[in-house]
Every structure is written in structure tokens, then in C-alpha cells.
Amino acid sequence: MKHSFLIKYAEIALKGKNRHLFEGALVQQIKYAVRSLDGDFEVKRTQGRIYVEGEGDAYEEDVIDALKHVFGIVGICPIERLEDDDFDEICRAAVAHMGANYPDMDGLTFKVEARRARKDYFKDSMEINADVGEAILDAYPWLRVDVHHPDVSLYIEIRESVSIYSKVIPGPGGMPVGTSGKAMLLLSGGIDSPVAGYMIAKRGVKIDAVYFHAPPYTSERAKQKVVDLARIISAYTGPIYLHVINFTDIQLYIHEKCPHEELTIIMRRYMMRIAERLARQNNALALVTGESIGQVASQTIQSLLSTNEVCTLPVFRPLIAFDKQEIINLAQKIGTFETSILPFEDCCTIFAPKNPKTMPHLDECLKIEASYDFESLLEEALNNIEVKFINKNSDVDDLL
């Protein structure tokens, strides 16, 4: 089974002299996306266009689904590719395309839109539109032409080869992963953080992740849930190194020593400290969280101020102005929602106080932390990290 696709992109075209770097990154991401499919696929880049071509047993729907996971793509166009630019052959291919893709033509309207990148071609775009349209009407006289609001737009591109297509399947948009540096995602088993990882990756950021595990208060099933979430989003982000931190001793120490209304914010500050150290060790330039203003006690502006104080790296919060339903809608779209709502405990909720302070004062946090020695516990946690390499195409590899 042969497949040919024209790939459309948007923002990349505005990159000026650096455009070729972004196009090259997009090509690499496309190659990664299709390499697990059953077939031999080739990704070609020409001036202003990227093509995916291959043969194998993979269905067209499978190829399209893989391409829908590649950030940077705005349109996926299944095409008829003609190496011969003979105009009679173009007309025959256009007629055949309409017949194969629109068998129920009664009342259908169409127009032809030609783009002639090769200016030496003997017909200009308007002539191609008129003559191909005439050939289609001769073959299917019950069709009607509507140049303003057609049911079908038939596109013909004349370059070094000829492409004919009429369907533009939306891609995810954004920028190719890896073109905007790397960040460390604080990944929990909840709804928000996987969506935050997806959104920051959409802007071209490569992500690794850190998960705070608290055995025996959180189970292996809770950890597996996070691994599963990382695998789901890795279909968009590429492979992820998931760093699993044993946070039990730190949480118990905080629970024993700190005023209970301050537990949430102190715990969050130490999570951010650990995440930043991991980020620096792994050449990540920022932290990413799933926080949204006012959603819980640790996400008020006052709490976020106190949390940010421990970090010198920037903290990206792509969901900061989203309401819960908007986040749920995105989680459902990217396929993480059903996993996120599995009822396994989370270390943030196991030790949550009944009445957490929603407007903590930074001076109070600093005073509490100065009274106790957390450093040895932090070092122990960082020296006993479990690292998992997570790839959508394979099982999880335990690295440490």
C-alpha cells in the first residue's frame, strides 16, 4: 500500500534565515513519529514543502494519526503525486481523484486552486484552474463550480513534481520539539501536569520529568499511573526521562516539625528545590508545573510567590489562567484524562492538612525552614533517584 502526504506548517515559515533549522527539526520529529509504523517511509524536504512517502501494510489512518502527534504540523494532506507534468495526465489524475474521494457527488460544488511554483510551466494558474475544472465537469456534469464557498477545493501544485489533493487534515500546530531548549516537568498523577507538559512541548520545548513518590503511603500502582501518563504524552513530546524521587522521609519530617497549616507550601517549596537541582544536572533551563491560579491552596498568588522564591530558573505554568473544565477538555483531547482519574493516592494529598493556609507569608516560610535541617534529607533523596526512560514505541527502561 503506497502513501504520499504533503505536510503543511505555519510559524516555521516566518523564521527567516533560521527557517532551515526548524524545518530540519520538523523532519526529524516526523521520522520519529512514523518509524514505528508497518512500512518503509521516507521524509523529504524541498523548498517550502515537506513530503512523507512510503509503502507498507500501515493504513492511511495510522499514518495520519502518527502525524497528528507531531508539533509543528498544521496540515496533513493525502496527495496524488505525479512525476510527469504532462497536462493531460494532470487532468486525468484530477478527474480520478474526484471520483475516488467523492463518490456521492449529487449537488456537490467544487473549485480548482492551482499553484504554479515553476514559472516556466506553459500554463499559468488561472488557465490550469479553468482547464482542469472543465475536464472535471466533462466527466461529472452534475457537479457545479462555486469559487467562493465550494464543498470541495481541489488543489494542484506544480513544482519539481505535481501534487493533487483536496483534504487538509488539521495537525497540532506549534513548534517542533527540541527547537526551544529543555525543561523539567513536575509530573503527578493528576489531570493538570500531563496537560502542562503537552502544552509546553507544543512550543518546541523538550521535556524530562520528575515524580515525587512516597512509599508506603503511595503505592506502586500510583507510580505506574505516572509512568503510563508519561508514555501517553511521549507520543507528542518524544522520549522522556522520568526521575522518581522517594519523598517519604522529607514529607514525614515536614509533617513532624512544621505547623500543619504551612505543610502544603513548605512541601511544595522542597519539591521545587529538588526539581531545580535535577533540572540543572540534566541541562534543563526551566521548570514546568500544572498550576492554575486559585485551583487549590498551593496555587493562590501568595502561595506561588512563596514557591517561586526557592527557584532561580524560570518556572513555566502554561495552565495558569485555565479553568478546570478547559484543562479537562485538553486532557481528553490528548488521551491522558482516563488515566489521570484512576483512584490511586498521590503524595500531595496523603499528607494534606485539613485547613491549609491559602495566603502564606514568605517571611514565615523562611523562618520555619531556618529552624530545621532539611539539607541532609534533600541530598539523600537526590542520591537515590530512580530513572526511567519512557518511549511510546517500547517498554520502560529502568536506568538507575
Side-chain angles (χ1 to χ4, degrees), residues 170-220:
M175 300 294 292
V177 171
T179 56
S180 300
K182 184 165 77 170
M184 183 67 68
L185 169 68
L186 280 77
L187 182 62
S188 72
I191 297 171
D192 303 343
S193 57
V195 177
Y198 166 89
M199 290 193 65
I200 208 70
K202 186 175 181 178
R203 297 309 308 155
V205 179
K206 176 77 177 72
I207 63 169
D208 285 340
V210 54
Y211 164 61
F212 293 91
H213 190 42
Y217 303 99
T218 55
S219 67
E220 286 299 308

Side-chain angles (χ1 to χ4, degrees), residues 116 127 147 212 305 374:
R116 187 186 56 143
E127 290 173 322
V147 297
F212 293 91
L305 171 67
F374 290 91

